[in-house]
Amino acid sequence: MVRFNKIAAACAIALAAGSASASVFTSTTPTGFDATSMGASTVGGIVVEAIGTNGARLISQLAASSLYVGFYDSGTPVGYRGNPGTIGVQSGFSSSVLSALGGGFQSFSIRFTLYDGDTGIGDFDDGQNNLLVNGLNFGDWTAVSTQETTSLGAQIGTGTNKGFRDERVDTGWFTSTDSVLLAALYGTLVATPTLTFQVQDVDPYDNFYDFTRGIDNSIINVGQGPVVTPPTGQVPEPASMALLGIGMAALGAVRRKAAK
């Protein structure tokens, strides 16, 4: 009976998150892809979308229950404390995963859901916090467009805001197509197959963070390692193009001979 109740509750949450009021903004990556179609939740956790140099797409999600909550001098997990303070660590970026992306990134996007971030316009950490990914600066938390939702991902209000605001559950995407930054990030993954997400604060330890908000993780703990889908309409490699050219020339010769 207990198991049945958990399944029923999980189904209720899934239906609520997938309702017409669910946020399209939080579900859709900056490249226009519906991340929920590859298993990501509407809100919650840390969702990564990477587009490889070959056009392949990677989606991963780090479960919200594993992320940081509290002040960065007293919160949990204890090992994540400090400045920069760690939000979470995603593993699974093996050599086979990286090679499936063609040896580099065209774009890299990361979604966070945060309660009480205090980086909204006019909040006391406005313009004072940066996101670090493997020690690389991915931008200011205030500059990110966000949308407020319920804990199940139903949109509250209309439009988007700037930053992760005071006492709100806001979700937004960091994204970059900077070739230098993305090459450096790829290099860190070759060396160590994990992504470490951190907050760097100008005046640390003054702000409470809750990255565990989102889909109720006591019932549904959404998390998955990197999943890569191959590119569509792949361009043949140079060697294949050369063989195709030889074949077409030979076919032309046969046709000319038959016409005589």
Side-chain angles (χ1 to χ4, degrees), residues 49-238:
E49 182 204 47
I51 306 297
T53 53
N54 61 355
R57 174 180 278 105
L58 176 148
I59 295 287
S60 70
Q61 179 163 3
L62 189 54
S65 60
S66 68
L67 305 182
Y68 195 80
V69 57
F71 292 90
Y72 266 112
D73 57 354
S74 60
T76 56
V78 173
Y80 287 0
R81 296 176 185 174
N83 187 43
T86 298
I87 305 166
V89 180
Q90 175 76 70
S91 60
F93 290 83
S94 63
S95 58
S96 60
V97 168
L98 295 179
S99 64
L101 294 168
F105 301 126
Q106 292 184 37
S107 69
F108 202 90
S109 303
I110 314 140
R111 192 195 76 190
F112 294 93
T113 296
L114 173 58
Y115 171 74
D116 201 22
D118 287 308
T119 56
I121 302 297
D123 290 342
F124 67 84
D125 264 353
D126 179 351
Q128 296 187 7
N129 293 352
N130 287 315
L131 169 65
L132 303 185
V133 182
N134 287 2
L136 301 169
N137 191 343
F138 264 74
D140 184 347
W141 289 80
T142 302
V144 174
S145 294
T146 63
Q147 191 167 85
E148 184 181 6
T149 71
T150 68
S151 62
L152 297 179
Q155 182 178 339
I156 296 175
T158 59
T160 58
N161 308 284
K162 283 295 184 181
F164 296 77
R165 297 165 298 159
D166 179 34
E167 297 186 353
R168 308 289 183 95
V169 177
D170 282 331
T171 299
W173 293 89
F174 287 80
T175 188
S176 178
T177 56
D178 184 309
S179 59
V180 174
L181 176 63
L182 298 185
L185 180 63
Y186 189 88
T188 66
L189 289 171
V190 171
T192 305
T194 57
L195 287 172
T196 299
F197 306 97
Q198 295 179 302
V199 176
Q200 186 174 50
D201 196 341
V202 170
D203 48 358
Y205 316 132
D206 64 339
N207 190 21
F208 177 90
Y209 297 87
D210 188 351
F211 288 98
T212 67
R213 297 294 182 99
I215 301 300
D216 186 348
N217 288 282
S218 65
I219 300 172
I220 299 178
N221 193 13
V222 179
Q224 64 179 29
V227 176
V228 180
T229 56
T232 57
Q234 288 182 315
V235 177
E237 295 181 2

Side-chain angles (χ1 to χ4, degrees), residues 31-54:
T31 66
F33 180 75
D34 180 4
T36 64
S37 69
M38 286 182 64
S41 60
T42 306
V43 295
I46 301 175
V47 175
V48 169
E49 182 204 47
I51 306 297
T53 53
N54 61 355

